[in-house]
Amino acid sequence: MASRRERVYSRREVEALIAEGRSIIVMNGKVLKVDAWLKYHPGGDKAIMHMVGRDATDEVTALHSAEALERMHAYQIGVIEGRWSNFLPPIQGGQFRMKHVIDTEDQISDHENDSSSQGSSGEPSPLFEPVDVQVRQRKPAMSRSSSATSMSSLDVDNEKPHNIHDPESEWTKDQIKTDLERYPELDPKTQDDIMQKYRQLDQRMRSEGLYNCNYKSYAIEISRYSFLFAMFLTTLHYGWYCTSALFLGAFWHQLVFSAHDAGHMGITHNFHVDSVIGMIIADYLGGLSLGWWKRNHNVHHIITNSPEHDPDIEHMPFFAISHRFFKSLRSTYYDRVMTYDPFAKFVIQYQNWLYYPILCFGRFNLYRLSWEYLILGLGPRKGPAWWHRWFEIAGQFFFWYWFGYQVLYKSIPDGWSRFAFIMISHAVTMPLHVQITLSHFAMSTADLGVNESFPQRMLRTTMDVDCPQWLDFFHGGLQFQAIHHLYPRMPRHNLRRAQKLVQEFCDEVGIPYAIYGFYDGNKEVIGRLGDVARQAKILAACQRSIAESGEMH
C-alpha cells in the first residue's frame, strides 16, 4: 500500500486520468483521487470540481479542520515531484487529452525533434511548432460559452474582437490589464513567494491563539438575541405589529452572523456540533437552509467573483456586476444559462437605482433556494452529513409552524396587518444583503488564469469595511471579508486582531489591501453598478444601430 501511495505521477499522467473522468487534485505534493468522496462531501461536489487538476493545498487547508485533512490521506494514489503547474478544471472549460493522444503527440514531437537535429532546412510546420500547439490547446476552452477561461496577458494581447466596434472585448481587456498592472506578477517565483508568506502568517496566527474561539463574546451575542426575541414577543402580545416586525427582523439579521460562524466551524471547530448549532439557527429560527448555504458558500470561497462560477454574484436578471453577463453566460453552479433577455436588459440599465429596493426582498429568494436544495436533495445523502437533510426539513416545518401559523395566522388578526408584518420584518434584514454584497460587488471579476495564488485572488476580489470597534456587532464580522476569505475558519471575534497582521502581509508581498468605510464602500458598489448600467445602455444603443443599418457580425 505504501509503494502505491509513493508512486510519482507526471503532469501528463494526471492529465490522462482527468481525461478519463477521474477527479484528481494535488495537495501538499500528494496526488489525491477523490471520485468516491464527491457525493459525500458536506460542502457539496461543486467545490471539489473546481479544484480538479489544481494544487488545492491552500483552499483545502483554509476550509477544513485538521481531522478532515487527516482523513484525506485515504484518497492518496501517489505524489508529484517539484512544483505543480495547474490545469484549468473541466468544470471551468479545461480540455484534457487521453493517454493515447498524449503518446501520439509525444511521438510526433520526438520525430520532429529528430528531423530538426538532422539539419532539415524546411520551414517548421505550423501544426507542430511549440507555441502554436499551446495556443491550439487553449482554444477549445476559450470558445466554450458555458464556462470560464483562463486568460494570460498573451491571450489578452492576441484576442481579436469579431467586430472592432464591439465594446465588450475592450472592456474585458481593460479590466484584465488594470489588474495585471496593480497586482504582483503571475510568474511562478512571485506567486510561490506569496503562498509561502501566506502559510507562514497562518502559522503565526495559530501560535497567537487567533483560531481559539472567545466564548465570552458569544455570551454577549446570546444576550442580544434574547433581548430582540423577547421584544418581538412582547410587542406582538400588545398588538404593536409593526414594532414587533422590526424586532423580529433585527433578530434574524443578528442570527445570521452566528449561523455563518457555525457553517465555517468557527465556534467549537467540531463538525457535528457546529453543524447542529448552525442548522438550529438557520432552519429552526430563520427558515433558511444551512446545507444550501454551505454548498453555495464553499464555491464562493474557492472561485470568488467569477461571473460563470460564483453563485454569490449571479443575480441575473436583477444585477450584473460585469459586462460579461451581457453574453448570457452559463452558470456552472446552477447549471443553467443566465439569459440576458429583454427584461434583464431593461432592469440592468437601472440597477444602481434599484439596488437597495431589490435587496429588501432578498430573504424571499433565500427561502426559495433553501427549499429547492432540500426538496431536490442536492446535499450529500451518505457520509457524515447524510442526516442533515432530514434534520433541516424538520427545522423548516418547525419554523413555518411558529412563524407562519402561531405568529402570522394566530397572533395577527387581519390580512393587511399580516402583510405589513411580513414586509417590515423581511425588509429590516436588507442591511445584511448589503453587507454580503458590499465586499465583492465593487471588486475585480477578471480571470487572471490558473497561475494566480489563492491569497492573491482572495485579496483581489474582496474588500474590507472599516468601522469603529463598538459597531462590530452590526456588521457581524462581515466587515472583515478579506481577512475572512484568507482564513475562513478563524472565529469572527478575532478578525479585528488579525487585521493588522494581514495588512503587514499585504505590504510585504505588494498586494493592495482594499478597505473602505461603510459609506464609501456603498459608493463603490453603486458606482460599479452604475458603470455596468452605462455599459448596458451603450451595448443596447450599438445593437439598435446595427439592427437599423442591417449590419451583421
Side-chain angles (χ1 to χ4, degrees):
M1 182 66 68
S3 60
R4 179 183 71 84
R5 292 187 176 183
E6 293 171 2
R7 176 189 169 183
V8 178
Y9 276 82
S10 68
R11 191 169 189 273
R12 293 181 176 182
E13 288 176 314
V14 171
E15 179 182 4
L17 286 174
I18 297 174
E20 294 173 3
R22 308 299 182 188
S23 298
I24 307 294
I25 67 173
V26 175
M27 183 178 170
N28 289 320
K30 300 172 182 177
V31 180
L32 308 181
K33 183 165 73 73
V34 295
D35 304 66
W37 184 240
L38 279 174
K39 59 184 178 181
Y40 301 139
H41 184 221
D45 57 344
K46 294 290 177 71
I48 297 178
M49 293 166 69
H50 281 289
M51 288 289 98
V52 171
R54 295 177 58 97
D55 185 332
T57 302
D58 290 324
E59 290 87 343
V60 172
T61 301
L63 290 165
H64 294 82
S65 65
E67 294 76 16
L69 297 177
E70 185 65 28
R71 288 196 296 270
M72 292 180 192
H73 293 311
Y75 300 97
Q76 181 180 343
I77 61 173
V79 297
I80 60 167
E81 288 184 344
R83 184 185 190 278
W84 179 254
S85 180
N86 288 329
F87 287 108
L88 186 69
I91 193 174
Q92 297 179 23
Q95 303 290 311
F96 296 82
R97 299 168 297 172
M98 301 291 286
K99 185 178 184 301
H100 69 274
V101 175
I102 297 175
D103 291 342
T104 301
E105 291 188 1
D106 285 346
Q107 293 174 5
I108 294 174
S109 178
D110 290 342
H111 175 73
E112 187 66 21
N113 289 336
D114 290 341
S115 299
S116 299
S117 65
Q118 295 172 7
S120 173
S121 60
E123 292 295 323
S125 167
L127 179 62
F128 304 128
E129 196 277 328
V131 174
D132 287 346
V133 171
Q134 293 173 8
V135 173
R136 178 170 56 84
Q137 291 170 0
R138 277 199 302 266
K139 282 181 179 178
M142 293 178 65
S143 65
R144 291 178 57 160
S145 61
S146 63
S147 51
T149 58
S150 294
M151 298 184 69
S152 66
S153 57
L154 176 64
D155 295 322
V156 175
D157 292 338
N158 291 339
E159 183 189 10
K160 303 298 182 184
H162 295 294
N163 186 322
I164 61 173
H165 299 296
D166 178 9
E168 292 187 57
S169 59
E170 298 301 323
W171 292 331
T172 300
K173 290 193 290 184
D174 285 347
Q175 188 178 63
I176 294 175
K177 181 181 178 182
T178 298
D179 281 0
L180 291 174
E181 291 174 347
R182 290 188 62 205
Y183 290 87
E185 298 288 337
L186 297 177
D187 62 278
K189 183 178 183 303
T190 300
Q191 294 301 309
D192 285 351
D193 181 62
I194 293 173
M195 286 190 291
Q196 290 304 317
K197 286 183 169 60
Y198 162 71
R199 294 170 188 175
Q200 291 168 9
L201 179 58
D202 180 52
Q203 291 303 315
R204 180 180 174 183
M205 289 182 171
R206 292 178 186 276
S207 66
E208 294 188 11
L210 294 182
Y211 276 85
N212 299 331
C213 184
N214 184 350
Y215 291 108
K216 291 182 180 179
S217 297
Y218 277 104
I220 297 174
E221 299 286 345
I222 292 172
S223 298
R224 186 184 304 117
Y225 303 157
S226 299
F227 169 76
L228 292 172
F229 195 76
M231 292 303 297
F232 145 65
L233 291 177
T234 301
T235 51
L236 180 67
H237 174 74
Y238 286 105
W240 301 345
Y241 302 125
C242 292
T243 306
S244 178
L246 285 170
F247 280 112
L248 179 58
F251 172 72
W252 284 336
H253 173 268
Q254 289 289 300
L255 271 185
V256 167
F257 302 140
S258 290
H260 179 263
D261 298 342
H264 279 295
M265 291 185 293
I267 300 178
T268 69
H269 303 306
N270 179 285
F271 171 73
H272 292 293
V273 174
D274 278 359
S275 293
V276 170
I277 293 173
M279 286 185 287
I280 289 175
I281 293 173
D283 292 87
Y284 288 75
L285 300 180
L288 307 178
S289 167
L290 184 77
W292 159 78
W293 175 85
K294 289 176 71 172
R295 184 174 186 261
N296 176 292
H297 200 64
N298 285 342
V299 173
H300 164 68
H301 268 269
I302 287 173
I303 194 72
T304 309
N305 261 30
S306 171
E308 294 92 344
H309 311 300
D310 181 0
D312 273 17
I313 65 168
E314 295 177 344
H315 301 296
M316 292 290 285
F318 299 105
F319 299 124
I321 66 169
S322 169
H323 63 273
R324 294 172 65 193
F325 286 103
F326 302 163
K327 289 289 189 181
S328 292
L329 300 176
R330 181 174 184 82
S331 167
T332 59
Y333 179 83
Y334 293 111
D335 290 325
R336 60 176 173 80
V337 174
M338 298 174 287
T339 308
Y340 190 56
D341 55 22
F343 179 76
K345 291 178 181 179
F346 174 79
V347 173
I348 298 304
Q349 293 185 44
Y350 304 98
Q351 62 178 356
N352 50 318
W353 298 100
L354 297 172
Y355 175 63
Y356 297 113
I358 289 177
L359 291 187
C360 289
F361 299 91
R363 192 174 184 87
F364 295 104
N365 186 49
L366 301 186
Y367 292 143
R368 178 187 67 83
L369 292 170
S370 295
W371 273 104
E372 180 181 70
Y373 170 84
L374 294 173
I375 292 174
L376 298 180
L378 299 179
R381 301 192 180 190
K382 296 182 179 179
W386 70 267
W387 53 277
H388 287 190
R389 182 191 182 200
W390 306 110
F391 190 70
E392 288 200 89
I393 289 176
Q396 292 293 318
F397 280 107
F398 179 83
F399 170 80
W400 288 106
Y401 170 76
W402 77 258
F403 175 68
Y405 179 71
Q406 291 292 343
V407 174
L408 291 179
Y409 182 73
K410 294 276 289 185
S411 302
I412 302 176
D414 59 87
W416 280 111
S417 296
R418 290 168 185 154
F419 176 77
F421 188 93
I422 292 173
M423 299 309 297
I424 293 173
S425 62
H426 286 64
V428 168
T429 66
M430 183 267 284
L432 172 66
H433 304 290
V434 173
Q435 290 163 319
I436 292 171
T437 59
L438 185 62
S439 295
H440 300 291
F441 270 26
M443 299 302 289
S444 174
T445 59
D447 184 355
L448 299 189
V450 295
N451 294 321
E452 186 177 27
S453 63
F454 170 73
Q456 179 167 315
R457 182 182 180 97
M458 294 303 102
L459 290 164
R460 184 173 60 84
T461 56
T462 311
M463 77 174 185
D464 278 355
V465 176
D466 192 24
C467 73
Q469 187 170 353
W470 65 267
L471 199 56
D472 283 352
F473 81 93
F474 177 76
H475 294 284
L478 298 183
Q479 75 273 35
F480 300 116
Q481 277 290 291
I483 306 167
H484 171 66
H485 268 254
L486 292 175
Y487 306 105
R489 295 181 61 250
M490 183 179 292
R492 66 173 153 113
H493 300 104
N494 296 336
L495 293 176
R496 182 173 286 277
R497 291 168 55 197
Q499 185 178 54
K500 182 179 179 181
L501 299 179
V502 171
Q503 288 175 321
E504 292 175 356
F505 162 76
C506 289
D507 291 339
E508 184 178 2
V509 299
I511 297 178
Y513 175 64
I515 180 168
Y516 296 87
F518 186 69
Y519 175 76
D520 290 334
N522 274 268
K523 283 180 61 178
E524 290 292 316
V525 170
I526 295 300
R528 167 61 66 83
L529 294 173
D531 287 342
V532 177
R534 284 189 290 273
Q535 292 169 350
K537 292 176 182 177
I538 292 172
L539 182 62
C542 290
Q543 291 174 337
R544 284 195 300 268
S545 177
I546 292 172
E548 290 171 359
S549 62
E551 293 182 16
M552 297 293 291
H553 283 289

